[in-house]
Amino acid sequence: MTTTAARRERQREQLIDAAERAIAAKGLAGLKARELAQEIGCSLGAIYNLVADMDELVLRVGSRTLARLDAALSAASPPASSQEQATDALVAVALAYCAFARDNLQLWRMLFEHRMAEGSVVPDWAVSEQMTMFRHILQPLGILVPERSEEDRNLLGRTLFSAVHGVVAIGLEEKLIAVPRRELDRQIEGLVRLACRGLATDP
Amino acid sequence: MTTTAARRERQREQLIDAAERAIAAKGLAGLKARELAQEIGCSLGAIYNLVADMDELVLRVGSRTLARLDAALSAASPPASSQEQATDALVAVALAYCAFARDNLQLWRMLFEHRMAEGSVVPDWAVSEQMTMFRHILQPLGILVPERSEEDRNLLGRTLFSAVHGVVAIGLEEKLIAVPRRELDRQIEGLVRLACRGLATDP
């Protein structure tokens, strides 16, 4: 790498660091290009030599957040080999997802609140990083409902993820009634076990 | 009502109408006090004679949205009296919820995205309107799991609502993969029936 390229890369990392800190502290709405430029000591325009636009910057922060989430989910559940283990693995992954969201509230919200600028689409690398996360659900599902087609299991995995996500999102928002941590965990475990029992009696 | 009070009330309704249109068109972020004042022909300051603050204005729009949602859910499912009818009622309510969200995307999002200003709490009248909606789930649950305590059923109702909400929210965001309407309906029906089968085999 030439010195110029190395310096650019270093500054790019600093920019992503600064954006990550800003979002973690103040949420996506707290991300201001001008403040980031000031923090890393470059002009406002120079930011766009480091990333194409603010969308890319947010996606780069999202990429780091997803990598940490991925590590947390991997640590939560070893690969399952029996049906009972598969249910326990799904419960463990769901609880780890909730814990991660609670501990990284603003960064986790960003993953869902961020919308690309009009006319832009999420680039392939970001979509593929998101898709990779589903293996934590699809592996246990392969043991729970091996007779189903892969397409069916993908849809089911998506449904289960969305359902758990909904319980976590509404529980952490505390919009309706504040949900204490233990109760939210009970809700999540209850939902996953309910769904797994339902799968076992699939007509 | 005095003429002054009547005029104030009329202007208050116009303000809520204007806010509702603005949110429906541009989302919560598109709500600007200055533009509303211009639209109803009053000064910026005069708005705060009509509502206490922007939070109250958003809650008033939310109240109308909830009333329409309530009517849509009521129309979707007559009271159930057998277990089979109760499952069908839960499916119908969930599908009606999804249809409402799709047809009122920005107003529905507002119900969940709006956060009160720092230090303010949601007033009792708004909390109680939100709570009322749960009867659409609690009535069928009373038939499906009559042996459970009311507290248990309330928690279960909350979990099921949040789960369906998650599937709807992620499905309508189309962040990961665009979900065609029929497929999203299939996901929702699948989740509710799965949960109901799980309830029937409760250990």
Side-chain angles (χ1 to χ4, degrees):
Chain A
M1 219 186 293
T2 65
T3 315
T4 316
R7 207 182 60 190
R8 184 179 171 281
E9 190 49 37
R10 205 169 52 238
Q11 202 166 31
R12 192 164 171 279
E13 287 302 308
Q14 287 173 345
L15 175 65
I16 301 173
D17 288 345
E20 191 173 26
R21 282 193 301 269
I23 295 172
K26 293 175 289 181
L28 199 50
L31 193 69
K32 308 281 180 216
R34 193 171 297 277
E35 292 173 15
L36 296 177
Q38 202 160 24
E39 192 170 337
I40 66 168
C42 75
S43 71
L44 182 59
I47 281 186
Y48 303 102
N49 296 328
L50 303 172
V51 289
D53 49 30
M54 290 300 271
D55 276 344
E56 190 199 332
L57 183 55
V58 172
L59 289 172
R60 294 287 169 200
V61 174
S63 174
R64 289 186 180 183
T65 306
L66 280 179
R68 290 192 298 115
L69 173 59
D70 197 32
L73 298 186
S74 296
S77 80
S81 53
S82 70
Q83 295 234 338
E84 205 187 324
Q85 281 177 2
T87 298
D88 290 344
L90 284 176
V91 170
V93 164
L95 291 175
Y97 179 74
C98 183
F100 183 89
R102 189 191 310 271
D103 296 341
N104 299 271
L105 194 57
Q106 295 287 12
L107 288 165
W108 168 76
R109 272 187 189 153
M110 166 203 66
L111 295 174
F112 296 91
E113 285 180 0
H114 172 241
R115 291 178 193 123
M116 301 291 286
E118 194 91 12
S120 300
V121 293
V122 179
D124 286 344
W125 65 265
V127 172
S128 123
E129 279 181 0
Q130 293 167 1
M131 286 301 138
T132 301
M133 309 295 292
F134 277 97
R135 74 181 190 287
H136 297 288
I137 303 174
L138 292 176
Q139 197 271 337
L141 277 185
I143 291 164
L144 280 175
V145 283
E147 72 287 0
R148 292 212 189 178
S149 70
E150 201 185 326
E151 193 196 336
D152 254 29
R153 278 203 301 267
N154 285 341
L155 187 67
L156 185 59
R158 196 189 153 90
T159 303
L160 287 181
F161 163 72
S162 304
V164 168
H165 173 81
V167 175
V168 171
I170 290 188
L172 294 184
E173 270 318 329
E174 307 189 343
K175 276 218 81 152
L176 302 175
I177 297 176
V179 185
R181 172 162 197 160
R182 211 182 313 169
E183 184 151 323
L184 183 53
D185 283 354
R186 243 182 75 206
Q187 271 192 288
I188 292 166
E189 174 156 7
L191 174 66
V192 175
R193 294 204 182 275
L194 194 62
C196 289
R197 282 205 306 278
L199 285 176
T201 62
D202 199 17
Chain B
M1 220 187 289
T2 65
T3 316
T4 316
R7 207 182 60 190
R8 183 179 171 281
E9 191 48 39
R10 205 168 55 236
Q11 203 167 29
R12 191 163 171 279
E13 287 301 308
Q14 287 173 345
L15 175 64
I16 301 173
D17 288 346
E20 190 174 26
R21 281 193 301 270
I23 295 172
K26 293 175 288 178
L28 199 51
L31 193 69
K32 309 281 179 215
R34 194 170 295 278
E35 291 173 17
L36 295 177
Q38 202 160 26
E39 193 170 336
I40 66 168
C42 75
S43 71
L44 182 59
I47 281 187
Y48 302 103
N49 296 327
L50 303 172
V51 289
D53 49 30
M54 290 301 271
D55 276 344
E56 190 200 332
L57 183 55
V58 172
L59 289 172
R60 295 285 168 199
V61 174
S63 173
R64 289 186 180 183
T65 306
L66 281 178
R68 290 192 298 114
L69 172 59
D70 197 33
L73 299 186
S74 296
S77 80
S81 53
S82 70
Q83 296 233 337
E84 205 187 326
Q85 281 177 3
T87 298
D88 289 345
L90 284 175
V91 170
V93 164
L95 292 174
Y97 179 75
C98 183
F100 183 88
R102 190 192 309 269
D103 295 341
N104 298 272
L105 194 58
Q106 296 286 11
L107 288 165
W108 168 75
R109 271 185 189 154
M110 167 203 65
L111 294 175
F112 297 91
E113 285 180 2
H114 172 241
R115 291 177 194 124
M116 300 291 287
E118 195 91 11
S120 300
V121 293
V122 178
D124 286 345
W125 66 264
V127 172
S128 121
E129 279 181 1
Q130 292 167 2
M131 285 302 137
T132 300
M133 308 295 291
F134 278 96
R135 74 181 190 286
H136 297 289
I137 303 174
L138 293 176
Q139 197 270 337
L141 277 185
I143 290 165
L144 280 174
V145 283
E147 71 287 0
R148 292 211 190 179
S149 70
E150 201 185 326
E151 193 195 336
D152 254 29
R153 279 203 301 266
N154 285 342
L155 186 68
L156 185 59
R158 196 189 153 90
T159 304
L160 287 181
F161 164 72
S162 304
V164 167
H165 173 81
V167 176
V168 172
I170 290 189
L172 293 184
E173 269 321 329
E174 307 188 343
K175 275 219 82 154
L176 302 175
I177 297 176
V179 185
R181 172 162 196 160
R182 211 183 312 171
E183 186 152 320
L184 183 52
D185 282 353
R186 242 182 76 206
Q187 271 192 287
I188 292 167
E189 174 155 8
L191 175 65
V192 175
R193 294 203 181 276
L194 195 61
C196 289
R197 282 204 308 275
L199 285 176
T201 62
D202 200 18

